Amino acid sequence: MENEPSPKKENEELDRYEKIVNWAHEEIEGVRSVYHRLAGIIGIIVATTLVCGTFLTYNTINDMRSDLKQRTDSLADEVKVRIEKEFEQPAIEATIQKAAKDRAAALMSDQIAPEVSKLKQEVNETVKQMGKAISEANIALDEVKNTSEFALLVTKASNDDRASFDALRKIVETKDNKFQDIALDVLLQIAADQDLSTSEAYIDWPKDCNLDPAKASLDDFAYVLAHRLPIYRPAILETIWQQERFPMPVRLAILNENIIKTNSIRTLHKAYKLMDQEAKLGQNILVYEAYTEWWDKHKGNYNKKPENQLTDPNK
């Protein structure tokens, strides 16, 4: 890292602390020498004073010697104790530690603290820039994701997927959706393709289903409709619709159920187109709900007519 201390700088700092400790030792030794010299001078002065005083005060040499020795020893002991107390090991260590701490505090304030502050500012700025870059990247990823998902919807809807078709319709109905216009164009194209398509998968009922449509029951048709591939379902609905032996409301109910539930756009298109023969609404596949609403509104009227009653649903 750019602001990480180099080994050379660390050695220089260690040298500085070593110099501080040496300086402290030198200062202490100097003070100690002064104290020792001062003690000697004090001893001489005290001794001279005692000699003169004692000479005038005491009558005998023996008394003078005895008292002088006692006082000198007492003063020497006192000076020694004071010197030892002043320069005992804890006091020296405390002095050294204080000098080192003061020097370290000065270095922290003058050199290290500004560098740390500068590093914090650089880190904060870097984090800020990284956050901005991540935010922009997320937006770009969302754009790609949304575009990919929309493209997938278009592809699936163009390949007979009802769920994708309905999803495109919701996009068209969503205000300010950037895909709104494209979705509408795709839906109109799908609607046009369905209206223009005249080809349906052919079913050879006896061969493919082992069934005669003219004699098949509603249960037979329901089974075939549920188990055949979606490509065949429009033709199956067409065949059911042609069976006038089934009452009109029964056939309309089958168409209505397929409009609601089918997962095939082709089947949806066929179901609402067949229902339009009776409803005569003239709507297109984009508003297929109009046919389910019509049936909900009118099915009661159909069921009231005697000719529309189905006495045996399997006939």
Side-chain angles (χ1 to χ4, degrees):
M1 214 174 151
E2 183 180 355
N3 291 322
E4 184 176 353
S6 64
K8 181 178 180 181
K9 189 171 183 180
E10 291 181 353
N11 292 333
E12 291 177 355
E13 293 300 324
L14 291 174
D15 290 339
R16 290 182 183 179
Y17 284 116
E18 185 177 354
K19 289 179 181 179
I20 292 172
V21 173
N22 292 337
W23 168 82
H25 279 297
E26 291 174 358
E27 291 294 319
I28 292 171
E29 290 299 327
V31 173
R32 179 178 290 171
S33 298
V34 172
Y35 268 92
H36 279 298
R37 288 197 299 270
L38 180 60
I41 294 172
I42 292 173
I44 294 173
I45 295 173
V46 170
T48 303
T49 303
L50 289 175
V51 168
C52 295
T54 303
F55 182 79
L56 296 174
T57 305
Y58 291 89
N59 295 321
T60 65
I61 296 299
N62 290 332
D63 290 339
M64 181 182 68
R65 287 178 179 175
S66 177
D67 191 60
L68 178 61
K69 184 177 183 302
Q70 183 180 356
R71 293 186 178 221
T72 301
D73 291 343
S74 177
L75 182 58
D77 289 341
E78 182 179 352
V79 172
K80 180 180 178 182
V81 169
R82 291 185 63 183
I83 291 174
E84 289 177 351
K85 184 177 181 179
E86 183 68 24
F87 291 96
E88 62 185 0
Q89 187 64 26
I92 295 174
E93 291 179 355
T95 302
I96 294 173
Q97 290 178 0
K98 183 179 183 303
K101 287 181 179 179
D102 291 344
R103 181 56 178 164
L107 288 172
M108 177 64 73
S109 175
D110 297 340
Q111 298 182 21
I112 299 176
E115 290 297 325
V116 171
S117 178
K118 182 180 178 181
L119 177 59
K120 286 182 178 180
Q121 292 178 357
E122 292 177 355
V123 170
N124 290 336
E125 182 64 26
T126 300
V127 170
K128 183 178 179 181
Q129 293 176 358
M130 289 178 63
K132 182 179 179 181
I134 291 173
S135 177
E136 293 175 351
N138 287 335
I139 293 174
L141 287 174
D142 288 341
E143 290 289 337
V144 172
K145 180 181 178 181
N146 292 338
T147 302
S148 299
E149 290 177 349
F150 178 75
L152 182 60
L153 285 178
V154 172
T155 300
K156 293 172 70 175
S158 300
N159 287 275
D160 199 39
D161 185 73
R162 163 76 175 276
S164 298
F165 178 81
D166 287 338
L168 291 176
R169 293 173 68 228
K170 289 182 179 180
I171 291 176
V172 171
E173 296 169 359
T174 303
K175 186 179 180 181
D176 298 330
N177 190 301
K178 65 179 182 178
F179 298 114
Q180 189 177 42
D181 293 340
I182 301 175
L184 180 58
D185 290 341
V186 172
L187 290 174
L188 292 175
Q189 185 62 51
I190 291 174
D193 291 342
Q194 294 296 322
D195 288 336
L196 294 174
S197 177
T198 57
S199 61
E200 293 180 359
Y202 173 76
I203 295 180
D204 187 341
W205 286 94
K207 180 179 179 180
D208 295 338
C209 304
N210 193 25
L211 191 68
D212 182 359
K215 298 178 181 181
S217 67
L218 288 174
D219 288 341
D220 292 334
F221 279 118
Y223 180 85
V224 172
L225 191 62
H227 291 84
R228 295 295 292 176
L229 293 174
I231 193 173
Y232 294 106
R233 290 173 188 168
I236 297 172
L237 284 179
E238 180 80 32
T239 302
I240 295 173
W241 178 254
Q242 293 171 353
Q243 305 306 308
E244 295 183 359
R245 57 194 175 91
F246 298 138
M248 178 64 73
V250 173
R251 289 178 285 158
L252 288 172
I254 294 173
L255 296 176
N256 183 71
E257 183 178 9
N258 276 270
I259 291 173
I260 295 173
K261 296 182 178 180
T262 184
N263 56 10
S264 166
I265 298 175
R266 295 188 184 96
T267 304
L268 170 63
H269 182 266
K270 174 58 72 172
Y272 92 82
K273 279 292 188 181
L274 292 173
M275 185 178 283
D276 192 58
Q277 293 180 19
E278 181 69 15
K280 295 180 173 31
L281 299 179
Q283 300 295 333
N284 63 30
I285 195 173
L286 300 182
V287 288
Y288 62 78
E289 292 92 348
Y291 292 92
T292 60
E293 294 171 359
W294 175 86
W295 174 241
D296 288 340
K297 183 178 179 180
H298 294 90
K299 63 183 178 181
N301 298 331
Y302 282 89
N303 292 328
K304 291 178 182 179
K305 296 179 180 180
E307 65 271 21
N308 289 331
Q309 302 302 314
L310 184 63
T311 57
D312 186 354
N314 291 323
K315 293 183 180 180

